[in-house]
Amino acid sequence: MSTNRTATLTIDGKSHEFPIMVGTHGNDVIDIRTLGAKTGLFTYDSGYLSTASCQSTVTFIDGDKGELLYRGYPIEQLAENCSFLEVAYLLKNGELPNQNQKTTFEGTIKNHTMVHDQLTRFYNGFRRDAHPMAVMVGVVGALSAFYHDAMDAADPEQRSITINRIIAKLPTIVAMAYKYNTGQPFMYPRNNLDYTANFMHMMFGTPCEEYVPNPVLTHALDTIFTLHADHEQNASTSTVRLAGSSGANPYACVSAGIACLWGPAHGGANEACLKMLEEIGDVSRVGEYIKRAKDKNDSFKLMGFGHRVYKNFDPRAKLMGKVCADVLAELGLENDGMFKLAKELEKIALEDEYFVEKKLYPNVDFYSGIVQKALGIPTSMFTCIFALARSIGWMTQWEEMITDPEYKIGRPRQLYVGAARRTVKPLSQR
Ligand code: CMC
């Protein structure tokens, strides 16, 4: 929304006015879209430290307060009162569902849980030991080959079906990646189970005997999905938006988001965090690793710590800590060495001057690896779980971009610092 306020930029004695836009919450922004035309200058903001790339109605983060809102609702209230599918409905439609809408939505998602039988053949092309995120990038991207002709992004109905397909098929695709890796047969979805219980059935069930989901563990995983469902303009979401801004097929865009999420600075941190805890191994070695994390000449970082936006605490980490305690209690693992180690590491880091001064707090990934490990999910699958949950955020943001009247292809500019113009010499003179 525009205001009467403006920002004045003076360059070489000449002043230029730029409108200031305000949002519902958070930082106001200076609208510099006319800067290049007015001044011949661009802004430089590598890493987007001060750049709002779009207007969005989906998610709000107050990094100083440690607040996260989906469509205006605090994450704590959503995690406590709603299932992941209700949260997915909220993100997709802007409002929480009533009972009828919830029932209808759950039924619709169940209708889409199976994947085209031909898609199952893709898995055979991968080595059994392929990283499941590599498999996900390929298989989700391949969905575009199944639904390309039938997908008109200008048609709201088709967009809605596409979003429903993504929500419904991601658990099936993730579970198949796991089954392929372990050499067990793929499990078909069971539509008498709810979304998360069905995922656990496809992950842990076998054709030999019926899988009976544990409600405490199912609830924990459902909460993990909710906590990861969206996070405004993070790296993978921005990737999905940028890929989609050219009009690319949305399944291919989600595949691009999965590729971005895989990195250890983003969604790969939960896997990296658990590996780090395994490497530390014992409470007695925590000091040594804290020292390494502070050493400028050592590339080691404390995985699961720090965040670009949260500079007080990550509200998802608080909720995840509770989920972790519940799961370990349910499984009788309260004295789990890894959990104790994580607690000690958290305590020491939170008191350490370096971490306090740089405002480095545990993020969502700090405890999520421990929870997932306790649930029986192997380390290499952690980021796939994140991708499954984040896919609703990606699709919601993709649709918001496609339907934005100001929508344009994303095309950043640059500061060129390469060789100055020069002349090619013939080969004999080089
Ligand atoms: N351990 C030790 N030092 C750290 C850490 C850490 N985990 N994170 C940041 N720092 C230091 C960093 O070296 C820098 O120091 P200096 O000012 O002396 O150069 C300072 O703190 C600022 O860090 P930055 O890397 O400039 O901050 P950023 O906003 O670019 O990066 C981050 C944020 C999350 C990538 C980074 O904190 C990090 O790599 N953390 C570990 C990986 C991790 O847990 N990622 C999960 C993020 S939450 C899940 C998600 O949403 O994807």
Side-chain angles (χ1 to χ4, degrees):
M1 198 189 318
S2 295
T3 58
N4 292 331
R5 286 167 67 212
T6 57
T8 307
L9 181 64
T10 305
I11 303 163
D12 299 332
K14 191 164 175 218
S15 294
H16 306 271
E17 302 273 312
F18 296 95
I20 293 181
M21 298 164 72
V22 293
T24 318
H25 299 300
N27 300 48
D28 298 342
V29 303
I30 305 170
D31 177 357
I32 49 116
R33 281 174 292 179
T34 57
L35 179 75
K38 279 182 179 165
T39 66
L41 296 177
F42 296 141
T43 52
Y44 177 67
D45 187 18
S46 89
Y48 304 106
L49 295 169
S50 305
T51 296
S53 60
C54 61
Q55 297 189 47
S56 181
T57 60
V58 184
T59 293
F60 173 73
I61 302 173
D62 185 325
D64 293 325
K65 276 202 225 153
E67 181 177 65
L68 169 61
L69 312 176
Y70 293 164
R71 301 284 192 191
Y73 294 112
I75 189 68
E76 295 81 359
Q77 292 178 25
L78 291 168
E80 168 128 19
N81 298 298
C82 305
S83 68
F84 171 68
L85 269 197
E86 285 173 81
V87 170
Y89 183 99
L90 168 71
L91 288 169
K92 182 181 177 213
N93 300 292
E95 295 297 336
L96 281 166
N98 60 29
Q99 185 58 57
N100 276 347
Q101 290 163 331
K102 178 175 184 283
T103 309
T104 308
F105 186 58
E106 285 170 352
T108 307
I109 296 301
K110 281 179 182 170
N111 275 339
H112 287 292
T113 47
M114 280 207 301
V115 292
H116 192 294
D117 209 42
Q118 201 65 20
L119 195 83
T120 58
R121 314 265 174 103
F122 275 82
Y123 289 84
N124 290 329
F126 291 100
R127 287 168 52 135
R128 289 274 175 189
D129 62 354
H131 195 287
M133 280 299 272
V135 176
M136 292 279 292
V137 169
V139 174
V140 175
L143 284 176
S144 56
F146 289 81
Y147 300 111
H148 188 64
D149 292 341
M151 172 64 216
D152 174 5
D155 177 354
E157 179 69 23
Q158 290 190 39
R159 287 199 303 269
S160 177
I161 293 172
T162 300
I163 297 174
N164 292 342
R165 279 194 179 124
I166 292 275
I167 299 170
K169 292 188 197 307
L170 259 284
T172 313
I173 289 171
V174 170
M176 285 168 79
Y178 174 58
K179 288 299 195 192
Y180 183 73
N181 186 254
T182 53
Q184 289 184 5
F186 296 145
M187 295 297 287
Y188 282 104
R190 260 179 52 195
N191 285 352
N192 61 331
L193 296 174
D194 70 30
Y195 185 83
T196 303
N198 175 49
F199 173 63
M200 292 180 87
H201 145 75
M202 290 189 290
M203 283 284 289
F204 304 122
T206 67
C208 310
E209 56 192 74
E210 193 180 339
Y211 176 78
V212 183
N214 172 322
V216 176
L217 305 187
T218 308
H219 178 68
L221 189 57
D222 199 73
T223 308
I224 292 182
F225 291 163
T226 293
L227 299 183
H228 287 87
D230 195 49
H231 213 226
E232 54 119 302
Q233 308 312 317
N234 58 86
S236 58
T237 301
S238 300
T239 301
V240 171
R241 278 185 176 257
L242 198 56
S245 77
S246 71
N249 181 292
Y251 299 98
C253 298
V254 171
S255 169
I258 293 171
C260 178
L261 186 73
W262 191 3
H266 193 6
N270 50 19
E271 182 178 342
C273 180
L274 203 82
K275 283 188 178 150
M276 176 191 76
L277 290 172
E278 277 165 359
E279 191 186 311
I280 298 175
D282 189 76
V283 172
S284 62
R285 298 184 64 202
V286 167
E288 180 191 324
Y289 279 82
I290 297 263
K291 200 169 157 209
R292 281 189 61 194
K294 295 177 350 185
D295 183 353
K296 273 223 163 292
N297 300 316
D298 190 331
S299 61
F300 174 78
K301 276 190 176 177
L302 221 48
M303 286 293 141
F305 268 78
H307 200 274
R308 170 64 62 80
V309 184
Y310 293 119
K311 298 299 175 196
N312 188 343
F313 67 90
D314 179 344
R316 303 169 302 170
K318 278 201 170 171
L319 292 161
M320 194 62 81
K322 182 173 176 321
V323 169
C324 188
D326 290 349
V327 166
L328 295 178
E330 174 67 12
L331 295 172
L333 296 171
E334 294 96 330
N335 291 322
D336 176 71
M338 192 80 81
F339 187 56
K340 281 193 168 162
L341 178 58
K343 279 266 169 226
E344 185 64 15
L345 186 65
E346 181 185 25
K347 184 170 161 280
I348 294 181
L350 286 176
E351 287 166 359
D352 190 282
E353 206 180 306
Y354 171 93
F355 287 86
V356 172
E357 193 189 301
K358 292 192 188 298
K359 302 192 172 186
L360 299 169
Y361 297 90
N363 59 49
V364 67
D365 287 326
F366 189 64
Y367 283 111
S368 79
I370 301 174
V371 183
Q372 292 187 54
K373 185 170 186 269
L375 292 175
I377 297 167
T379 317
S380 62
M381 291 296 298
F382 291 175
T383 318
C384 299
I385 304 288
F386 193 157
L388 182 171
R390 182 57 58 84
S391 60
I392 177 58
W394 290 332
M395 291 311 287
T396 302
Q397 303 258 358
W398 167 82
E399 181 169 48
E400 184 175 64
M401 177 192 64
I402 294 283
T403 53
D404 184 345
E406 295 184 355
Y407 153 61
K408 277 186 187 316
I409 186 169
R411 178 43 170 107
R413 303 307 298 265
Q414 63 171 8
L415 177 66
Y416 175 68
V417 293
R421 178 178 289 103
R422 46 188 172 161
T423 306
V424 177
K425 290 184 184 152
L427 189 57
S428 58
Q429 293 175 27
R430 276 181 248 154

